[in-house]
């Protein structure tokens, strides 16, 4: 093996030949390095080292070398080193399963031909909420990276086992099984349980450094149905602006719910909103369209794609509230709702009637505040303590901001 070293001046400096049997060996490497150090000055070596380290620093997407159904597996994403003007697909590897394998999250990246803002679209944090999956898929299908200025990242199934089982929660093998709500684990913990580490990896190896704004798509969970609705942190003006770009009927200025993806992003300085696209376990075209229209409006707003705005909240007579008020069953029996989603109701108005097995009325339920019907229970048979409906209300004592008290846990 005859070696030569090309200097920065372009001149070539010969080195000593090595026996053929040594070519490619550790001995060859050491000999080559030894020869180089005799000819190259320390400043030149330093310059080469800096060039190499710079190249490594900018090539931060980490490929495992594996493929799943032809899609490359990654453990870290850096959109800066992806080819511009193209669409990319990856399987992002996250935490281990109970049998020592891994969970994988499908990711699509549409990187524009020109630089610009970077927007994240998320579906599948809760596995029984399927309209979001269609909304993200359809949005990504509309994009032409060759004409875009910026980047769109689509996460198609943020909680793989939940989606596989069409469940809100993620079951982990802890003392016979534990149910974890993935949307109470963000931004995750590096040394946490499987779900917490999964969230940490997505936060730190997929989102961090790649995202300027985000939309986390949801629906009501199994057993409930949601109006066209958005949650948005009440102290984030840019997030509120994004929420109003969706053709929604209701927007809640929320106080910030720890553990949710939306709140973890906002606290990290990334404007974000949470959509609610109807009910669980099915595709409803009207709700999917709300998600797609809002997504495209966000991309137009940031100049990532060109075109006229689609319908926004300005076209829907949107009701903006700052708290939720739930009506819960005080007995068991069969429920007949007297109101529909997005109906305006007044305090004291009858909203549901409950009967026993003989058809006798056992209780009548009345609205506990003025507001809009945001959520209804979809199960006619209802037990004591279960949610019958929830109203979005606007409490004057909270002013124009979110009510810090926030009654009960977040619904998303």
């Amino acid at each position: 093996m005859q070696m030569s070293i090309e200097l920065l001046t372009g001149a070539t400096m010969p080195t000593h030949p090595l026996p053929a049997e040594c070519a490619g060996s550790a001995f060859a490497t050491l000999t080559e390095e030894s020869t180089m150090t005799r000819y190259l000055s320390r400043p030149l070596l330093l310059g080469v080292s800096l060039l190499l380290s710079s190249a490594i620093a900018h090539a931060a997407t980490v490929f495992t070398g594996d493929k799943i159904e032809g899609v490359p597996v990654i453990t870290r994403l850096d959109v800066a080193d992806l080819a511009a003007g193209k669409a990319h697909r990856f399987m992002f590897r996250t935490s281990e399963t109970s049998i020592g394998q891994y969970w994988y999250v499908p990711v699509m990246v549409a990187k524009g031909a020109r630089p610009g803002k970077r927007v994240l679209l998320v579906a599948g944090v809760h596995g029984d909420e399927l309209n979001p999956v269609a909304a993200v898929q359809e949005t990504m299908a509309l994009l032409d990276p060759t004409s875009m200025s910026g980047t769109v990242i689509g996460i198609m199934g943020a909680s793989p086992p939940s989606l596989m089982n069409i469940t809100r929660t993620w079951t982990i093998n802890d003392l016979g099984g534990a149910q974890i709500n993935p949307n109470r684990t963000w931004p995750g913990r590096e040394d946490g349980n499987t779900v917490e580490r999964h969230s940490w990896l997505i936060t730190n190896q997929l989102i961090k450094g790649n995202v300027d704004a985000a939309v986390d798509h949801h629906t009501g969970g199994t057993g409930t149905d949601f109006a066209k609705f958005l949650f948005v942190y009440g102290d984030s003006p840019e997030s509120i602006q994004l929420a109003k770009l969706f053709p929604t009927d209701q927007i809640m200025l929320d106080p910030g719910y720890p553990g949710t993806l939306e709140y973890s992003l906002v606290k990290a300085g990334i404007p974000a909103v949470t959509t609610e696209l109807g009910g669980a376990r099915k595709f409803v075209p009207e709700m999917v369209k709300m998600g797609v229209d809002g997504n495209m409006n966000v991309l137009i707003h940031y100049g990532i794609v060109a075109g006229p705005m689609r319908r926004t909240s300005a076209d829907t007579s949107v009701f903006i509230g700052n708290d939720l008020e739930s009506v819960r069953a005080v007995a068991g029996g069969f429920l007949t709702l007297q109101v529909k989603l997005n109906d305006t109701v007044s305090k004291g108005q009858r909203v549901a009637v409950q009967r026993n097995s003989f058809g006798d009325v056992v209780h009548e339920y009345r609205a506990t505040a003025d507001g809009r019907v945001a959520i209804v229970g979809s199960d006619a048979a209802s037990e004591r303590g279960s949610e019958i409906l929830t109203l979005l209300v606007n409490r004057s004592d909270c002013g124009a901001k979110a009510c810090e008290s926030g009654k009960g846990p977040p619904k998303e």
Side-chain angles (χ1 to χ4, degrees):
M1 180 178 70
Q2 177 71 41
M3 285 187 58
S4 64
I5 300 173
E6 187 172 342
L7 302 180
L8 297 184
T9 59
T12 299
M13 186 171 293
T15 67
H16 298 293
L18 292 173
E21 63 269 19
C22 295
S25 67
F27 174 77
T29 303
L30 290 172
T31 305
E32 291 160 14
E33 290 176 353
S34 176
T35 305
M36 289 175 67
T37 56
R38 287 202 299 270
Y39 288 102
L40 298 179
S41 65
R42 291 192 178 205
L44 183 54
L45 284 174
L46 178 61
V48 172
S49 175
L50 289 174
L51 285 171
L52 289 173
S53 63
S54 174
I56 292 170
H58 284 88
T61 297
V62 178
F63 293 83
T64 68
D66 297 326
K67 288 187 176 182
I68 297 176
E69 296 183 358
V71 178
V73 175
I74 62 172
T75 57
R76 179 178 175 82
L77 176 67
D78 183 355
V79 297
D81 65 22
L82 301 182
K86 293 184 177 181
H88 306 266
R89 293 183 178 187
F90 305 105
M91 297 297 286
F92 179 71
R93 193 181 78 184
T94 69
S95 51
E96 304 91 340
T97 71
S98 60
I99 58 173
Q101 297 175 3
Y102 290 95
W103 291 113
Y104 298 89
V105 174
V107 177
M108 291 185 68
V109 181
K111 183 173 180 180
R114 296 169 297 280
K117 291 287 190 177
R118 302 161 302 174
V119 170
L120 172 68
L121 307 175
V122 181
V125 171
H126 289 140
D128 60 344
E129 302 177 3
L130 300 183
N131 283 328
V133 175
V136 175
Q137 288 175 338
E138 291 188 19
T139 301
M140 299 301 293
L142 291 172
L143 302 180
D144 176 10
T146 63
S147 63
M148 288 168 46
S149 299
T151 299
V152 183
I153 302 171
I155 296 180
M156 306 303 173
S159 299
S162 304
L163 273 168
M164 290 177 186
N165 296 294
I166 319 181
T167 59
R168 178 178 177 83
T169 55
W170 179 325
T171 302
I172 63 172
N173 190 8
D174 181 16
L175 299 177
Q179 303 291 323
I180 307 295
N181 182 342
N183 209 29
R184 303 296 181 270
T185 64
W186 301 96
R189 288 196 303 132
E190 184 175 10
D191 59 350
N193 63 38
T194 300
V195 189
E196 291 168 335
R197 178 166 174 77
H198 172 89
S199 297
W200 184 88
L201 288 168
I202 291 177
T203 297
N204 289 276
Q205 304 298 324
L206 186 61
I207 295 176
K208 188 175 181 180
N210 291 316
V211 174
D212 298 309
V215 180
D216 184 22
H217 288 293
H218 287 257
T219 72
T222 299
T224 64
D225 204 359
F226 234 114
K228 295 178 179 177
F229 190 103
L230 272 89
F231 288 94
V232 59
Y233 184 48
D235 287 330
S236 174
E238 188 172 350
S239 298
I240 294 171
Q241 188 177 14
L242 296 183
K244 292 179 178 179
L245 294 175
F246 284 78
T248 184
D249 291 325
Q250 302 177 38
I251 295 174
M252 179 184 171
L253 305 179
D254 69 57
Y257 297 116
T260 61
L261 177 56
E262 172 210 330
Y263 188 58
S264 72
L265 292 171
V266 172
K267 296 303 287 184
I270 300 172
V273 298
T274 299
T275 71
E276 298 289 350
L277 305 177
R281 305 178 71 87
K282 55 191 175 184
F283 286 166
V284 179
E286 179 184 2
M287 293 298 183
V288 172
K289 188 176 189 309
M290 172 192 153
V292 174
D293 286 348
N295 289 341
M296 294 303 295
N297 286 341
V298 169
L299 303 184
I300 293 167
H301 168 75
Y302 282 121
I304 297 174
V305 299
M309 281 283 182
R310 301 184 177 204
R311 294 179 73 247
T312 71
S313 63
D315 303 305
T316 64
S317 302
V318 65
F319 175 73
I320 300 177
N322 53 20
D323 206 357
L324 294 172
E325 181 87 15
S326 292
V327 177
R328 294 190 173 275
V330 297
F334 299 93
L335 283 168
T336 302
L337 293 174
Q338 307 291 304
V339 292
K340 304 184 303 298
L341 285 170
N342 204 42
D343 278 356
T344 299
V345 300
S346 302
K347 184 176 181 179
Q349 178 180 336
R350 188 173 70 173
V351 294
V353 175
Q354 192 172 36
R355 293 178 171 84
N356 63 19
S357 296
F358 298 100
D360 304 323
V361 174
V362 296
H363 199 82
E364 291 188 351
Y365 295 91
R366 299 186 179 275
T368 52
D370 297 338
R372 289 268 194 104
V373 179
I375 309 169
V376 297
S378 57
D379 294 331
S382 182
E383 294 198 30
R384 181 184 293 270
S386 61
E387 181 180 12
I388 295 174
L389 59 80
T390 295
L391 304 175
L392 176 63
V393 300
N394 191 17
R395 300 190 191 282
S396 59
D397 53 342
C398 299
K401 293 191 174 183
C403 291
E404 290 296 333
S405 59
K407 293 185 178 293
K411 302 295 180 181
E412 75 274 19

